Amino acid sequence: MRRAAAAAAVLTASVAVTLTPLTSSAAAPYKGANTAVVQDDFNGDGYRDLAVGAPYAANGGVEENGSVVVLYGGSGSGVNVTRRAVITQATPGVPGDAEAWDHFGSAVTSADLDRDGYADLIVGASDETVGTKDSRGAVTVVWGGPTGLKGGASLTVPAGYGDGRTYCGFGMSLATADMNGDGNPELAVGSRCEAATYTGPFTRTGKAAGTVRDDFFGETRGVVAGDTDGDGLAELYWLPGPSDDDLRGSVYVYKGARGPNAVPATNRPTELPYADGHAGAIGDINGDGYGDLVTGISYDDSMSGGPAGWARPGGEIQVLYGSPQGITADQKPKVYHQDTAGVPGAAENGDRFGQSLSIGDVNGDRYADVLVGVPSEAVGSRKLAGTAVLLRGSATGLTTADAAAYTQDTAGVPGAVETGDQFGAAVHLADLNKDGKAETVVGVPTENSDGCVWVARGSASGPVLSGSVNVSGKSVGIGVRNVKGYFGAALPGPHVEL
C-alpha cells in the first residue's frame, strides 16, 4: 500500500444554507437524463442545472455545516437565481445531522442513479464525523423529480473500508458514468483512505446493485470516468494523489467492465507511467469521437515545505488523447503551463495553475475546450486574486491559439479584483441554456464574506462577457457566520483537495 506524502491542505471550501422551493413547468421526465447533454437535469425540463457547493456555509447557528445551491437552467443566460433550491443536512428528507465542520458540499456531481428519468444530486461531505471517527466523510444522494430535488439517502461504505482510520475524507472526489454498458450509471468515490465503486441502479434507500472496496492504491484522492476508447463503456481513472515515491501523483486506468452484471473494479488496473495528476476530467478535445484525459498538478515545490518533485513552478496540466485502444501505457502526455507559448500569464511559484479543470465546447464547433483555474495568481499587486484560462480544442488537439484569460479586471466581467478572492478555485463548462454552446462558470469562493460564481453564456466566438453575471452566496440563500461561506468552492468539475 502506498504511503502518502505529507502536504499542507489546499484550500477548497464552500458556503451556507437555506431552502427556496422550486416551481417547475415539467410534467414528465426529460428522456436522456443520463446522457452527457443533460445528466444534471434535476427537474426534467430539458435544461441542465448548476450545482454549487458551499461547504463552509453556516446552517442557522451551526458553523461550517455546508450547503449546496442548485440554480435551475433555462433559456437566455442559462441560470435564473429565482429558480433555485438550497440543500443542507437540515433540509427535510435529506439524511444526516447538521453538525459543525461537516463541509457538506465539498464535492458535487450528478447522474440518474435510480433510472426514473430525472438526474440526482450527489454530494460529498468530506469532513463528516461518522460515529467517533473525525472527518471520516460521507456521500449523500438527493433525488431529482418533476418539482426538483426532494428527499435523499446516504451511501453505505463498503465492508472493511478504512478500518481503524480517521480523516479519510470519503467523498472528496466523485465521478459517474456507465462502465458496464447496462444503461445504469456507476459511481466512484475517492478519499484519503481507499477507493469505492458503486454499480447501478440504486434504490431510493441508497442501496447499489453492487459495491467494491478498492484498496489497491491505498489513498485514492482523485477519480475520473469517461469513454476513451469509443466502445460505449466508460473507463475509470484513479489518481491516488501525491506519494513518497511520486509527488506528482500516479494515474491508473480500469477498462470499462463488460456485461450487465460485471463490477468495474474487479480487474487490476494499468498504470500510465508517463502520466501525472491530482485531479482530472475527460472530454473530446480533438473531435475524433474518443474521450481525452486532462489532469492537473497545481501544487508546486514552493508550496510543499518539503521534498522537491511536485509540479513545475506555478502548476501544469497534462493531456492524453483517446484512441481505439484507449489511453495506452506508452503514451506521453502533452504538457501545458503558463510558460507554454500562447498560454496567458506567467508561471510563478504558488499560482496553482490546474487547481480546477473543466472540459466543454464553448463555441459549438464540436471540439471540446479546456477551462483551467489558477486561483492563486496575482493580478497586479493583488495576491491570490485568481484567474481562469481557456484553451481551445481543435482537430489537432488542445491549442493555445485564441487562448484567453479572465479575471475580475477583464472588461465585461463584473466585480473588482481584490486580494485573496481566489477567482478560479472551481470552474465548470456546461450548456445550461440548450443552445449547443457551453456556459462558462467560475467559482470565486472568498469574494466578500460569502463567495460567488461568475456565469458567462457561450457563443460562436466563446464566452460572452457583456451581460455576464456574478451570483453571490447570500443572494441565493446561504448562511454565513464567523468564517467566509465559500460559495463557489465546489462545482461539478474536479478541483484539487490534498
Side-chain angles (χ1 to χ4, degrees):
M1 186 177 295
R2 297 155 56 87
R3 182 167 62 89
V10 174
L11 195 58
T12 54
S14 283
V15 194
V17 178
T18 315
L19 180 63
T20 307
L22 166 78
T23 57
S24 172
S25 59
Y30 181 78
K31 294 181 179 179
N34 247 2
T35 68
V37 179
V38 286
Q39 71 174 29
D40 37 14
D41 179 13
F42 301 118
N43 61 345
D45 65 355
Y47 292 96
R48 297 183 73 169
D49 305 315
L50 176 63
V52 183
Y56 282 29
N59 189 340
V62 180
E63 193 76 82
E64 295 184 41
N65 175 233
S67 64
V68 177
V69 178
V70 172
L71 304 174
Y72 289 92
S75 59
S77 65
V79 294
N80 185 334
V81 298
T82 65
R83 299 180 64 244
R84 67 181 189 268
V86 183
I87 309 296
T88 79
Q89 289 179 303
T91 299
V94 174
D97 297 316
E99 300 164 318
W101 311 300
D102 280 351
H103 299 151
F104 180 85
S106 57
V108 292
T109 192
S110 62
D112 183 10
L113 295 182
D114 60 354
R115 293 302 306 277
D116 67 349
Y118 300 96
D120 307 307
L121 175 66
I122 306 163
V123 182
S126 58
D127 288 315
E128 175 97 25
T129 295
V130 179
T132 60
K133 296 179 179 178
D134 292 338
S135 295
R136 176 79 164 180
V139 175
T140 299
V141 180
V142 185
W143 305 110
T147 58
L149 293 157
K150 184 178 181 180
S154 295
L155 297 188
T156 301
V157 298
Y161 168 83
D163 277 348
R165 299 185 63 182
T166 56
Y167 303 101
C168 285
F170 185 74
M172 68 188 300
S173 59
L174 305 164
T176 60
D178 182 6
M179 302 173 201
N180 60 15
D182 66 353
N184 297 302
E186 277 65 61
L187 168 65
V189 182
S191 79
R192 298 185 190 92
C193 288
E194 299 154 3
T197 306
Y198 298 82
T199 303
F202 291 69
T203 69
R204 281 291 179 115
T205 64
K207 182 177 176 57
T211 306
V212 173
R213 168 191 168 220
D214 195 336
D215 60 357
F216 177 84
F217 314 103
E219 301 188 13
T220 310
R221 303 179 184 189
V223 59
V224 193
D227 184 6
T228 54
D229 60 10
D231 66 354
L233 306 177
E235 282 69 60
L236 184 61
Y237 291 83
W238 287 113
L239 290 72
S243 62
D244 287 343
D245 59 349
D246 188 353
L247 295 173
R248 298 167 63 82
S250 300
V251 179
Y252 292 85
V253 58
Y254 281 115
K255 285 289 188 178
R258 315 283 171 169
N261 297 315
V263 176
T266 54
N267 300 317
R268 292 178 69 85
T270 298
E271 183 174 9
L272 304 179
Y274 299 108
D276 308 290
H278 298 156
I282 291 173
D284 188 2
I285 294 169
N286 58 5
D288 64 356
Y290 303 101
D292 308 311
L293 174 66
V294 181
T295 61
I297 314 119
S298 63
Y299 206 83
D300 64 29
D301 289 348
S302 72
M303 304 168 66
S304 70
W310 299 75
R312 71 176 321 282
E316 64 190 76
I317 65 170
Q318 299 185 357
V319 183
L320 290 154
Y321 292 96
S323 72
Q325 294 76 42
I327 295 173
T328 58
D330 60 353
Q331 187 178 157
K332 294 183 178 180
K334 176 70 173 176
V335 178
Y336 297 82
H337 45 76
Q338 286 186 294
D339 280 344
T340 301
V343 175
E348 300 161 318
N349 283 334
D351 279 351
R352 290 196 288 160
F353 182 87
Q355 159 72 18
S356 57
L357 296 166
S358 190
I359 303 178
D361 183 2
V362 299
N363 59 359
D365 64 357
R366 300 189 179 181
Y367 299 109
D369 309 301
V370 178
L371 186 63
V372 184
V374 199
S376 295
E377 175 100 292
V379 179
S381 62
R382 291 150 295 187
K383 297 180 179 180
L384 305 178
T387 186
V389 173
L390 180 65
L391 303 176
R392 300 301 184 93
S394 73
T396 58
L398 195 63
T399 176
T400 60
D402 298 320
Y406 307 99
T407 75
Q408 289 184 303
D409 263 357
T410 303
V413 176
V417 168
E418 298 167 311
T419 297
D421 278 351
Q422 296 193 87
F423 185 94
V427 296
H428 185 46
L429 296 175
D431 182 9
L432 303 173
N433 60 7
K434 210 166 56 172
D435 67 352
K437 305 170 188 68
E439 278 59 66
T440 296
V441 184
V442 176
V444 198
T446 43
E447 171 90 22
N448 301 324
S449 66
D450 50 347
C452 75
V453 293
W454 171 59
V455 184
R457 64 181 177 85
S459 75
S461 59
V464 178
L465 306 189
S466 177
S468 63
V469 297
N470 277 348
V471 179
S472 71
K474 287 182 178 178
S475 74
V476 291
I478 72 157
V480 176
R481 293 191 72 233
N482 298 318
V483 299
K484 288 177 180 276
Y486 280 87
F487 178 76
L491 294 166
H495 56 280
V496 175
E497 184 178 343
L498 298 179

